[in-house]
Each structure stands twice: as C-alpha cells, then as structure tokens.
Amino acid sequence: MKKILICGAGGFIGGHLAKKFINDKNYQLVCADIKPLEYWFQTFDSAENHCLDLKDYNNTLKVTKNVDYIFNLACNMGGMGFIENNKAECMLSVLINTNLLRAAIKNKCEKYLFSSSACVYNGSKQNETFIPGLKETDAYPAEPEDGYGWEKLFSERMCRHFTEDFGLETRVVRFHNIYGPVGTFDGGREKAPAALCRKIINAKNKNLKKIDVWGDGEQTRSFLYISDCIDGMLEVFNSNSTEVFNIGSEEQVSINQMIDTIENIAAHKVDKNYQLDKPLGVRGRSSDNSYVTKKIGWKPKTTLKEGLVKTHQWISQQISSGTNIDKFCKSNIEK
Ligand code: NAD
Ligand code: GDD
C-alpha cells in the first residue's frame, strides 16, 4: 500500500484528486490544506486530514512523514482578478514548493508532482487572439505572467534540480484554465467559466438582461474540464518522464463564444457590458497537446459544451439551494 499526500486537498483540483483515490484500497490518503476543514470543498473522513500552513518547513516535515507520493496542488491563487492584484501573495507560494521538496528529501519520499500553469508561457507569444497552441518549449526565453507565472517557472526549475542533484523523482504539469463543478465561483478568485455561468444564472433568476464582461470579449482561451485534468495529471505522474507537460485543451474560444454557449445552456440571452479596465491577462492562449499525446498518450475527452453543461448545472444548484455557498465564494485562506 502506498501513502499519498495531497497538498491543497481543500481546493478545487486537490478535492477532485482526493475523491479519485479515497476508495482505492491500494492507497492510504493524507490531505493537507491551510483552510479550516469546514471550508474544504470536499472532505473524506477516512483520509488523514491536516489543516496547516505548508509555507512552514516544520509543517511540511510533519505531513510528508512515511509518505511515498506527493501531489503539490497547494497555492494561493485564482483567476485573473486575483493574480493581477496579488503578485506578492502569489510569489509567496514558492515557500510551499520549496519546503515540500526539502521535506520530501528529508523523509525519503519517492515521487513528487508539481502543478504548474500556462501562466509560465512567454507573454510575447500570446499577443493575438486565436494563436497557435503553446508548446512546452514556448516557456523560454522566459517572460511569464508577472508574479504568479514567475513563481511557477521558478518552482518548475527547482523540481528539475531536485531530481538532478538529489535523485527525487519529480513530475511537472502545466494546467490550462481548469473548470468544473465543486470549485470557486464567486468572491474574487473565480475564473471566467465559473464567473460567466454565475452571472448568467443570476441574470436569469432576477430577470435581468445585462451582464458585466471583462475586456471586449474577443480575447481567447482554452478551458480543460476537471475530469480530463485529473486523468492527465495521473497519466503524467505514472509515466517515466521527468519532462514538463501541458495539461490543457486545444479547443480555443473567445470569451464571447463561451458566453454564447452558456446562454444556450441557460436558455437566457444577455447583453454584454464590456469592462475594459478589469484584469485581462494575455490576449490569446491555448494548449498544444502534441507532445504530451505523443509521449504519454493523454488527450482530453470532454468538449467545452459538455463541461459547461455540468458546471452550469452545479453552480445553478448551489445558488438556488444557498447551502454552504460561502466556502465556494469567499477568500478564506487566511482564516
Ligand atoms: P484552489 O485555490 O481551489 O486550491 C488550492 C488550495 O491550496 C486551496 O484550498 C488553498 O487553501 C490551499 N493553500 C493555499 N496556500 C496554502 C498553504 N500555505 N498551505 C496549505 N494549503 C494552501 O486552486 P486549484 O484550482 O485547485 O489549483 C490547484 C493547483 O493547480 C495550484 O497549484 C494552481 O496554481 C494550479 N493551477 C490551477 C489552474 C486552474 O485553472 N484551476 C490553472 C493552472 C494551474
Ligand atoms: N475571472 C473572470 N471573471 N474573467 C473574466 C470575466 C469574469 O467575470 N469576464 C471576462 N473575463 C476574461 C478575463 O479578463 C480574461 O481575459 C479571461 O476571461 C480569462 O480569465 P480567467 O479565467 O480569470 O484567467 P486566465 O485564463 O487569464 O488565467 C487563468 O488560467 C491560468 C492557466 O491557464 C488563471 O486562473 C491563472 O491563475 C491560471 O494559471
């Protein structure tokens, strides 16, 4: 039996990963997150759950004891609204990765996965809409997203050097805008798919026609559904490759096109109030999966429409039930 540690298990991706492992008799699960347990998005009684700050070395030593595999999904992050306005906070997550890597060596852990981001990619390659997908090699020469992207790029390199210098097996995945049920949808950290589902649901519920949209809506992105993200991450983890891989979708759409899809799902048409002074990020971004498909065999299965149907349905249920809604809408990391 292998002992697995999921860092950031109280969050969106960490919660879904814990759910994947919890009933597998081959694994014993340790979950860690800085938030109080009642704010974790998903919790499992049979896991060993720890609420602690993983920026602290002593805490990383505690949770990695006798652990074989570490999944580091802990990070103080969010969508554009958060990362553009909290660059120092984002960079402080470097302490999580640094201390977890040190603790992994000290406690002789076998394998370590770091969750990096498409925000590491060179900004000058993302100045147009509907750009070609970003290849793994497009991260260099380095010009990542200020703050958050630099932290991710630095941490990726630290993984590489811990492998080279100390023999720790590391895996690095670059996630491209992951969305789906049981994630943040309000409060400032939410990303575009959840934010726009919420805005259209609220408009319909209140019989309103207008929603706010950041930018001119022509900026492009690709969005990856959570189940594909979990499968891709595990396939990279179980592979023999220590290279860095994209885990993203190649289905690039403009924000206006995504709004059209959500309007159809919601059966509610809206007018758009374009807010050009809001955080916008890069002009265009998408993933090129040719390398990860060739080396690992992974590619996403869920279309954007299929994923948005499920996401819209879940957010709609949360809003109408109103139960426990705070934990998906408030920034409660420092509580
Ligand atoms: P999330 O915010 O839902 O989850 C991250 C979790 O980390 C939170 O529950 C938070 O409380 C916890 N955390 C933050 N600081 C901590 C600390 N000091 N100690 C312990 N726990 C701490 O985010 P997510 O969407 O699940 O993202 C998981 C990982 O994937 C992160 O590394 C993120 O940067 C990366 N990523 C996510 C996306 C995406 O679109 N969701 C895209 C690119 C990269
Ligand atoms: N969040 C949000 N909310 N974005 C909106 C909204 C809104 O109501 N309306 C329009 N947008 C636009 C943003 O201005 C941006 O141009 C685009 O939608 C996508 O925004 P986000 O989903 O917030 O972030 P991102 O794709 O720029 O970056 C995200 O993905 C990275 C990985 O691909 C972030 O979550 C990063 O943290 C992540 O690493």
Side-chain angles (χ1 to χ4, degrees), residues 20-71:
K20 184 99 183 170
F21 280 122
I22 197 67
N23 292 320
D24 190 328
K25 300 277 174 275
N26 296 310
Y27 301 105
Q28 192 186 341
L29 198 54
V30 182
C31 292
D33 201 289
I34 195 170
K35 295 186 290 195
L37 206 57
E38 67 265 29
Y39 285 99
W40 292 25
F41 296 171
Q42 306 192 53
T43 46
F44 303 97
D45 291 344
S46 55
E48 184 187 313
N49 295 318
H50 297 266
C51 301
L52 35 69
D53 185 352
L54 292 169
K55 294 197 292 308
D56 181 323
Y57 182 53
N58 288 323
N59 287 338
T60 60
L61 279 178
K62 182 175 162 189
V63 292
T64 54
K65 210 164 181 118
N66 301 319
V67 159
D68 300 293
Y69 300 156
I70 301 171
F71 289 85

Side-chain angles (χ1 to χ4, degrees), residues 77-83 116-120 145 148 152 175-178 188-193 195-196 198-199 212-215 217 219-223 255 258-259 275 278-283 285:
M77 63 85 71
M80 263 306 136
F82 183 79
I83 63 174
S116 185
S117 164
C119 287
V120 300
E145 176 80 35
Y148 176 72
K152 290 293 189 192
F175 292 146
H176 290 245
N177 210 319
I178 314 300
R189 288 178 191 261
E190 69 283 9
K191 291 163 206 102
L196 294 165
R198 183 198 79 230
K199 288 177 183 183
D212 290 336
V213 176
W214 298 357
Q219 65 271 48
T220 57
R221 293 290 186 279
S222 69
F223 301 97
I255 296 300
M258 181 161 71
I259 293 171
Q275 299 179 303
K278 293 289 182 186
L280 304 178
V282 294
R283 189 67 178 149
R285 173 182 289 156

Side-chain angles (χ1 to χ4, degrees), residues 132-194:
L134 293 155
K135 293 182 189 300
E136 284 81 352
T137 46
D138 287 331
Y140 293 97
E143 193 204 315
E145 176 80 35
D146 201 5
Y148 176 72
W150 276 107
E151 187 277 315
K152 290 293 189 192
L153 198 61
F154 178 88
S155 292
E156 283 188 3
R157 285 189 86 94
M158 202 154 34
C159 289
R160 179 167 121 197
H161 296 307
F162 268 68
T163 300
E164 290 166 355
D165 294 359
F166 305 124
L168 175 67
E169 271 211 60
T170 57
R171 303 285 182 267
V172 177
V173 282
R174 288 183 186 148
F175 292 146
H176 290 245
N177 210 319
I178 314 300
Y179 73 102
V182 206
T184 311
F185 62 88
D186 204 348
R189 288 178 191 261
E190 69 283 9
K191 291 163 206 102

